Amino acid sequence: MTVANMDYKELGKSGAKLPVLGLGTWGMGGFSSMRSGGDDRAVQALRLGLELEMRFIDTAEMYASGHSEEVVARAVGAEREKVFIASKVSGENLSYERVLRSCNSSLARLQTGYIDLYQVHWPNPSIPISETMRAMERLLGEGKIRHIGVSNFSVEQTREAQTALSKADLVSNQVEYSLLDRSIEEDLLSFATGQHITIIAYSPVGRGQIAKGRGRRWEVLEQIAGKYGKTKVQAALNWLIVKEAVVTIPKAASLDHVRENAGAAGWKLTREDQTALNSAFA
Ligand SMILES: NC(=O)c1ccc[n+]([C@@H]2O[C@H](COP(=O)([O-])OP(=O)(O)OC[C@H]3O[C@@H](n4cnc5c(N)ncnc54)[C@H](OP(=O)(O)O)[C@@H]3O)[C@@H](O)[C@H]2O)c1
């Protein structure tokens, strides 16, 4: 088997090293509720991803109503110390007590004593972020989580989350980012880069669309990818991870897709090619 040439980036200012390519799990074990039948395939895909050095798995208590975390536990097995696991507490569970309860439930489903990165899945304006972050810092103090992150937070909400933390740094914000959705380039990307907050780009394959696109801009992508002996998806993922603050978490249940995605690291699009893609996908 070809082993990927993985690259690593610092998670926020934490000193921890994160592979630039992780493994998404939305749809593994089910979507918003548990669905039986696909677990073995998902476990196999995650294990292949780990073998190919994508040793970073992103999940959430909400995915498959918690069952996705159980699938992750199966895939990781005895390799726990060698895998960076990120999970998320849902927006409706952001009160102090609920954050603590959600984390304990996630730990049980993940069959682990700690979560490497615990993220607020989406903001909830009815609960002060200071309350949520107090609970997050308690979990950090107890060793149940190693780092604190957010997801789907605007610049303003990210600032508030940073300010609400008294003992720890906010290390990451997980947001949608791909050639097909570049809205974070308006402000969040430069803010995060300046603050040393890692952007974890979700839906980087445009939920599969990047492999299927037809027309002029897709020809540009294919032609640029071809110069490096790469596919459209590999070039689209590389376009994300060449950016200083960005890592990404494509989800793939197909083994061929996992292999293809792993080939997005270990090389770099030139600045000229990045610019050409920026114009084609403006
Ligand atoms: N924080 C949030 O609110 C949030 C929101 C959305 C997603 N996420 C996270 O981000 C992860 C990734 O996002 P996503 O699942 O929405 O979208 P995605 O990774 O852009 O796309 C996943 C889809 O693309 C297909 N795919 C993957 N690699 C491919 C390849 N090389 N060639 C062709 N098709 C390929 C997959 O097919 P197969 O599965 O059949 O291989 C799947 O249908 C999620 O799984 C989740 O962990 C977080």
mmCIF file of all heavy atoms in Angstrom, residues 211-241:
data_model
loop_
_atom_site.group_PDB
_atom_site.id
_atom_site.type_symbol
_atom_site.label_atom_id
_atom_site.label_comp_id
_atom_site.label_asym_id
_atom_site.label_seq_id
_atom_site.Cartn_x
_atom_site.Cartn_y
_atom_site.Cartn_z
ATOM 1 N N ALA A 211 -15.957 16.406 -7.353
ATOM 2 C CA ALA A 211 -15.554 15.301 -8.235
ATOM 3 C C ALA A 211 -16.387 15.279 -9.513
ATOM 4 O O ALA A 211 -15.974 14.718 -10.527
ATOM 5 C CB ALA A 211 -15.710 13.981 -7.491
ATOM 6 N N LYS A 212 -17.563 15.903 -9.464
ATOM 7 C CA LYS A 212 -18.524 15.723 -10.569
ATOM 8 C C LYS A 212 -18.688 16.928 -11.488
ATOM 9 O O LYS A 212 -19.348 16.828 -12.521
ATOM 10 C CB LYS A 212 -19.920 15.423 -9.970
ATOM 11 C CG LYS A 212 -19.976 14.152 -9.167
ATOM 12 C CD LYS A 212 -21.374 13.962 -8.598
ATOM 13 C CE LYS A 212 -21.378 12.983 -7.441
ATOM 14 N NZ LYS A 212 -22.342 13.317 -6.413
ATOM 15 N N GLY A 213 -18.147 18.092 -11.092
ATOM 16 C CA GLY A 213 -18.425 19.328 -11.832
ATOM 17 C C GLY A 213 -18.036 19.276 -13.304
ATOM 18 O O GLY A 213 -17.047 18.633 -13.670
ATOM 19 N N ARG A 214 -18.811 19.934 -14.134
ATOM 20 C CA ARG A 214 -18.530 20.012 -15.573
ATOM 21 C C ARG A 214 -18.566 21.472 -16.009
ATOM 22 O O ARG A 214 -19.374 22.238 -15.507
ATOM 23 C CB ARG A 214 -19.604 19.263 -16.383
ATOM 24 C CG ARG A 214 -19.678 17.770 -16.124
ATOM 25 C CD ARG A 214 -18.697 16.972 -16.974
ATOM 26 N NE ARG A 214 -18.697 15.572 -16.586
ATOM 27 C CZ ARG A 214 -17.947 15.041 -15.622
ATOM 28 N NH1 ARG A 214 -17.125 15.793 -14.928
ATOM 29 N NH2 ARG A 214 -18.004 13.755 -15.325
ATOM 30 N N GLY A 215 -17.707 21.842 -16.960
ATOM 31 C CA GLY A 215 -17.723 23.214 -17.461
ATOM 32 C C GLY A 215 -16.340 23.835 -17.357
ATOM 33 O O GLY A 215 -15.380 23.176 -16.969
ATOM 34 N N ARG A 216 -16.251 25.129 -17.737
ATOM 35 C CA ARG A 216 -14.959 25.799 -17.883
ATOM 36 C C ARG A 216 -14.089 25.727 -16.620
ATOM 37 O O ARG A 216 -12.927 25.357 -16.659
ATOM 38 C CB ARG A 216 -15.215 27.270 -18.288
ATOM 39 C CG ARG A 216 -13.981 28.112 -18.436
ATOM 40 C CD ARG A 216 -13.098 27.675 -19.615
ATOM 41 N NE ARG A 216 -11.756 28.240 -19.482
ATOM 42 C CZ ARG A 216 -10.631 27.544 -19.604
ATOM 43 N NH1 ARG A 216 -10.647 26.263 -19.862
ATOM 44 N NH2 ARG A 216 -9.466 28.137 -19.475
ATOM 45 N N ARG A 217 -14.661 26.097 -15.446
ATOM 46 C CA ARG A 217 -13.803 26.153 -14.260
ATOM 47 C C ARG A 217 -13.313 24.775 -13.836
ATOM 48 O O ARG A 217 -12.224 24.632 -13.291
ATOM 49 C CB ARG A 217 -14.495 26.890 -13.117
ATOM 50 C CG ARG A 217 -15.807 26.306 -12.682
ATOM 51 C CD ARG A 217 -16.410 27.241 -11.672
ATOM 52 N NE ARG A 217 -17.639 26.717 -11.127
ATOM 53 C CZ ARG A 217 -18.223 27.179 -10.035
ATOM 54 N NH1 ARG A 217 -17.696 28.186 -9.377
ATOM 55 N NH2 ARG A 217 -19.327 26.651 -9.595
ATOM 56 N N TRP A 218 -14.130 23.751 -14.155
ATOM 57 C CA TRP A 218 -13.721 22.384 -13.819
ATOM 58 C C TRP A 218 -12.591 21.932 -14.731
ATOM 59 O O TRP A 218 -11.738 21.149 -14.332
ATOM 60 C CB TRP A 218 -14.928 21.441 -13.895
ATOM 61 C CG TRP A 218 -15.980 21.912 -12.934
ATOM 62 C CD1 TRP A 218 -17.101 22.616 -13.237
ATOM 63 C CD2 TRP A 218 -15.952 21.802 -11.514
ATOM 64 N NE1 TRP A 218 -17.786 22.935 -12.089
ATOM 65 C CE2 TRP A 218 -17.109 22.445 -11.020
ATOM 66 C CE3 TRP A 218 -15.078 21.204 -10.604
ATOM 67 C CZ2 TRP A 218 -17.409 22.511 -9.668
ATOM 68 C CZ3 TRP A 218 -15.370 21.272 -9.252
ATOM 69 C CH2 TRP A 218 -16.521 21.919 -8.791
ATOM 70 N N GLU A 219 -12.612 22.445 -15.957
ATOM 71 C CA GLU A 219 -11.504 22.141 -16.891
ATOM 72 C C GLU A 219 -10.217 22.763 -16.371
ATOM 73 O O GLU A 219 -9.148 22.153 -16.432
ATOM 74 C CB GLU A 219 -11.807 22.680 -18.292
ATOM 75 C CG GLU A 219 -12.846 21.841 -19.020
ATOM 76 C CD GLU A 219 -13.423 22.571 -20.232
ATOM 77 O OE1 GLU A 219 -12.791 23.533 -20.714
ATOM 78 O OE2 GLU A 219 -14.516 22.176 -20.667
ATOM 79 N N VAL A 220 -10.305 23.992 -15.824
ATOM 80 C CA VAL A 220 -9.117 24.655 -15.253
ATOM 81 C C VAL A 220 -8.585 23.807 -14.097
ATOM 82 O O VAL A 220 -7.382 23.528 -13.998
ATOM 83 C CB VAL A 220 -9.459 26.097 -14.761
ATOM 84 C CG1 VAL A 220 -8.275 26.721 -14.028
ATOM 85 C CG2 VAL A 220 -9.887 26.968 -15.933
ATOM 86 N N LEU A 221 -9.487 23.374 -13.232
ATOM 87 C CA LEU A 221 -9.080 22.559 -12.071
ATOM 88 C C LEU A 221 -8.408 21.264 -12.535
ATOM 89 O O LEU A 221 -7.347 20.871 -12.032
ATOM 90 C CB LEU A 221 -10.311 22.253 -11.196
ATOM 91 C CG LEU A 221 -10.094 21.338 -9.984
ATOM 92 C CD1 LEU A 221 -9.065 21.940 -9.016
ATOM 93 C CD2 LEU A 221 -11.425 21.095 -9.242
ATOM 94 N N GLU A 222 -9.024 20.617 -13.522
ATOM 95 C CA GLU A 222 -8.493 19.343 -14.013
ATOM 96 C C GLU A 222 -7.116 19.529 -14.651
ATOM 97 O O GLU A 222 -6.194 18.743 -14.428
ATOM 98 C CB GLU A 222 -9.460 18.759 -15.036
ATOM 99 C CG GLU A 222 -9.167 17.313 -15.350
ATOM 100 C CD GLU A 222 -10.406 16.572 -15.837
ATOM 101 O OE1 GLU A 222 -11.373 17.234 -16.292
ATOM 102 O OE2 GLU A 222 -10.399 15.336 -15.754
ATOM 103 N N GLN A 223 -6.984 20.618 -15.395
ATOM 104 C CA GLN A 223 -5.727 20.877 -16.096
ATOM 105 C C GLN A 223 -4.608 21.173 -15.091
ATOM 106 O O GLN A 223 -3.497 20.642 -15.191
ATOM 107 C CB GLN A 223 -5.953 22.049 -17.064
ATOM 108 C CG GLN A 223 -4.773 22.441 -17.929
ATOM 109 C CD GLN A 223 -4.095 23.702 -17.407
ATOM 110 O OE1 GLN A 223 -4.767 24.602 -16.922
ATOM 111 N NE2 GLN A 223 -2.786 23.745 -17.495
ATOM 112 N N ILE A 224 -4.915 21.974 -14.069
ATOM 113 C CA ILE A 224 -3.900 22.287 -13.044
ATOM 114 C C ILE A 224 -3.546 21.018 -12.275
ATOM 115 O O ILE A 224 -2.372 20.711 -12.059
ATOM 116 C CB ILE A 224 -4.398 23.415 -12.103
ATOM 117 C CG1 ILE A 224 -4.403 24.737 -12.879
ATOM 118 C CG2 ILE A 224 -3.542 23.513 -10.840
ATOM 119 C CD1 ILE A 224 -4.953 25.925 -12.121
ATOM 120 N N ALA A 225 -4.552 20.267 -11.871
ATOM 121 C CA ALA A 225 -4.299 19.022 -11.121
ATOM 122 C C ALA A 225 -3.403 18.096 -11.947
ATOM 123 O O ALA A 225 -2.450 17.488 -11.425
ATOM 124 C CB ALA A 225 -5.625 18.335 -10.803
ATOM 125 N N GLY A 226 -3.672 18.028 -13.243
ATOM 126 C CA GLY A 226 -2.924 17.143 -14.143
ATOM 127 C C GLY A 226 -1.432 17.453 -14.173
ATOM 128 O O GLY A 226 -0.602 16.544 -14.313
ATOM 129 N N LYS A 227 -1.078 18.731 -14.014
ATOM 130 C CA LYS A 227 0.345 19.110 -14.030
ATOM 131 C C LYS A 227 1.125 18.423 -12.921
ATOM 132 O O LYS A 227 2.332 18.263 -12.988
ATOM 133 C CB LYS A 227 0.474 20.636 -13.822
ATOM 134 C CG LYS A 227 -0.010 21.448 -14.982
ATOM 135 C CD LYS A 227 0.595 22.843 -15.049
ATOM 136 C CE LYS A 227 0.404 23.666 -13.810
ATOM 137 N NZ LYS A 227 0.679 25.092 -13.985
ATOM 138 N N TYR A 228 0.417 18.087 -11.829
ATOM 139 C CA TYR A 228 1.072 17.446 -10.677
ATOM 140 C C TYR A 228 0.794 15.941 -10.641
ATOM 141 O O TYR A 228 1.150 15.267 -9.681
ATOM 142 C CB TYR A 228 0.544 18.067 -9.363
ATOM 143 C CG TYR A 228 0.750 19.570 -9.265
ATOM 144 C CD1 TYR A 228 -0.155 20.457 -9.871
ATOM 145 C CD2 TYR A 228 1.829 20.106 -8.569
ATOM 146 C CE1 TYR A 228 0.016 21.825 -9.780
ATOM 147 C CE2 TYR A 228 2.002 21.485 -8.473
ATOM 148 C CZ TYR A 228 1.094 22.340 -9.084
ATOM 149 O OH TYR A 228 1.263 23.693 -8.991
ATOM 150 N N GLY A 229 0.104 15.461 -11.670
ATOM 151 C CA GLY A 229 -0.293 14.046 -11.677
ATOM 152 C C GLY A 229 -1.367 13.781 -10.637
ATOM 153 O O GLY A 229 -1.453 12.686 -10.070
ATOM 154 N N LYS A 230 -2.206 14.784 -10.358
ATOM 155 C CA LYS A 230 -3.219 14.679 -9.311
ATOM 156 C C LYS A 230 -4.624 14.772 -9.907
ATOM 157 O O LYS A 230 -4.803 15.184 -11.053
ATOM 158 C CB LYS A 230 -3.031 15.804 -8.283
ATOM 159 C CG LYS A 230 -1.703 15.720 -7.523
ATOM 160 C CD LYS A 230 -1.686 14.540 -6.566
ATOM 161 C CE LYS A 230 -0.362 14.380 -5.858
ATOM 162 N NZ LYS A 230 -0.354 13.237 -4.943
ATOM 163 N N THR A 231 -5.624 14.429 -9.090
ATOM 164 C CA THR A 231 -7.020 14.520 -9.541
ATOM 165 C C THR A 231 -7.607 15.872 -9.116
ATOM 166 O O THR A 231 -7.005 16.599 -8.318
ATOM 167 C CB THR A 231 -7.867 13.402 -8.906
ATOM 168 O OG1 THR A 231 -7.918 13.653 -7.491
ATOM 169 C CG2 THR A 231 -7.282 12.026 -9.162
ATOM 170 N N LYS A 232 -8.812 16.139 -9.614
ATOM 171 C CA LYS A 232 -9.494 17.393 -9.258
ATOM 172 C C LYS A 232 -9.681 17.508 -7.744
ATOM 173 O O LYS A 232 -9.443 18.549 -7.145
ATOM 174 C CB LYS A 232 -10.878 17.450 -9.930
ATOM 175 C CG LYS A 232 -10.817 17.744 -11.414
ATOM 176 C CD LYS A 232 -12.211 17.941 -11.990
ATOM 177 C CE LYS A 232 -12.988 16.626 -11.990
ATOM 178 N NZ LYS A 232 -14.267 16.694 -12.681
ATOM 179 N N VAL A 233 -10.129 16.411 -7.131
ATOM 180 C CA VAL A 233 -10.379 16.454 -5.687
ATOM 181 C C VAL A 233 -9.066 16.688 -4.926
ATOM 182 O O VAL A 233 -9.012 17.492 -3.987
ATOM 183 C CB VAL A 233 -11.078 15.150 -5.204
ATOM 184 C CG1 VAL A 233 -11.111 15.078 -3.683
ATOM 185 C CG2 VAL A 233 -12.492 15.067 -5.762
ATOM 186 N N GLN A 234 -8.003 16.020 -5.351
ATOM 187 C CA GLN A 234 -6.718 16.216 -4.666
ATOM 188 C C GLN A 234 -6.245 17.662 -4.777
ATOM 189 O O GLN A 234 -5.748 18.245 -3.805
ATOM 190 C CB GLN A 234 -5.663 15.261 -5.247
ATOM 191 C CG GLN A 234 -5.918 13.814 -4.839
ATOM 192 C CD GLN A 234 -5.055 12.828 -5.592
ATOM 193 O OE1 GLN A 234 -4.652 13.059 -6.734
ATOM 194 N NE2 GLN A 234 -4.755 11.700 -4.959
ATOM 195 N N ALA A 235 -6.421 18.258 -5.960
ATOM 196 C CA ALA A 235 -5.997 19.656 -6.130
ATOM 197 C C ALA A 235 -6.891 20.588 -5.317
ATOM 198 O O ALA A 235 -6.411 21.552 -4.711
ATOM 199 C CB ALA A 235 -6.036 20.036 -7.611
ATOM 200 N N ALA A 236 -8.195 20.284 -5.263
ATOM 201 C CA ALA A 236 -9.121 21.138 -4.506
ATOM 202 C C ALA A 236 -8.802 21.064 -3.005
ATOM 203 O O ALA A 236 -8.907 22.067 -2.286
ATOM 204 C CB ALA A 236 -10.564 20.707 -4.763
ATOM 205 N N LEU A 237 -8.417 19.895 -2.517
ATOM 206 C CA LEU A 237 -8.047 19.763 -1.094
ATOM 207 C C LEU A 237 -6.705 20.448 -0.832
ATOM 208 O O LEU A 237 -6.517 21.107 0.186
ATOM 209 C CB LEU A 237 -7.976 18.282 -0.677
ATOM 210 C CG LEU A 237 -9.295 17.507 -0.702
ATOM 211 C CD1 LEU A 237 -9.054 16.018 -0.391
ATOM 212 C CD2 LEU A 237 -10.297 18.073 0.312
ATOM 213 N N ASN A 238 -5.776 20.315 -1.787
ATOM 214 C CA ASN A 238 -4.475 20.956 -1.612
ATOM 215 C C ASN A 238 -4.619 22.476 -1.589
ATOM 216 O O ASN A 238 -3.939 23.168 -0.810
ATOM 217 C CB ASN A 238 -3.505 20.504 -2.710
ATOM 218 C CG ASN A 238 -2.087 20.895 -2.370
ATOM 219 O OD1 ASN A 238 -1.621 21.960 -2.747
ATOM 220 N ND2 ASN A 238 -1.404 20.049 -1.603
ATOM 221 N N TRP A 239 -5.538 22.995 -2.427
ATOM 222 C CA TRP A 239 -5.802 24.448 -2.456
ATOM 223 C C TRP A 239 -6.206 24.947 -1.058
ATOM 224 O O TRP A 239 -5.891 26.078 -0.688
ATOM 225 C CB TRP A 239 -6.902 24.708 -3.489
ATOM 226 C CG TRP A 239 -7.397 26.119 -3.554
ATOM 227 C CD1 TRP A 239 -6.870 27.147 -4.280
ATOM 228 C CD2 TRP A 239 -8.538 26.648 -2.864
ATOM 229 N NE1 TRP A 239 -7.607 28.287 -4.074
ATOM 230 C CE2 TRP A 239 -8.642 28.011 -3.216
ATOM 231 C CE3 TRP A 239 -9.484 26.100 -1.988
ATOM 232 C CZ2 TRP A 239 -9.647 28.831 -2.723
ATOM 233 C CZ3 TRP A 239 -10.484 26.917 -1.497
ATOM 234 C CH2 TRP A 239 -10.557 28.268 -1.865
ATOM 235 N N LEU A 240 -6.860 24.091 -0.278
ATOM 236 C CA LEU A 240 -7.208 24.474 1.100
ATOM 237 C C LEU A 240 -5.994 24.412 2.025
ATOM 238 O O LEU A 240 -5.685 25.361 2.743
ATOM 239 C CB LEU A 240 -8.282 23.518 1.662
ATOM 240 C CG LEU A 240 -9.702 23.640 1.120
ATOM 241 C CD1 LEU A 240 -10.536 22.442 1.563
ATOM 242 C CD2 LEU A 240 -10.355 24.936 1.608
ATOM 243 N N ILE A 241 -5.286 23.284 1.991
ATOM 244 C CA ILE A 241 -4.257 23.065 3.029
ATOM 245 C C ILE A 241 -2.956 23.816 2.758
ATOM 246 O O ILE A 241 -2.110 23.878 3.644
ATOM 247 C CB ILE A 241 -3.982 21.550 3.256
ATOM 248 C CG1 ILE A 241 -3.521 20.869 1.966
ATOM 249 C CG2 ILE A 241 -5.204 20.867 3.836
ATOM 250 C CD1 ILE A 241 -3.178 19.389 2.121
#
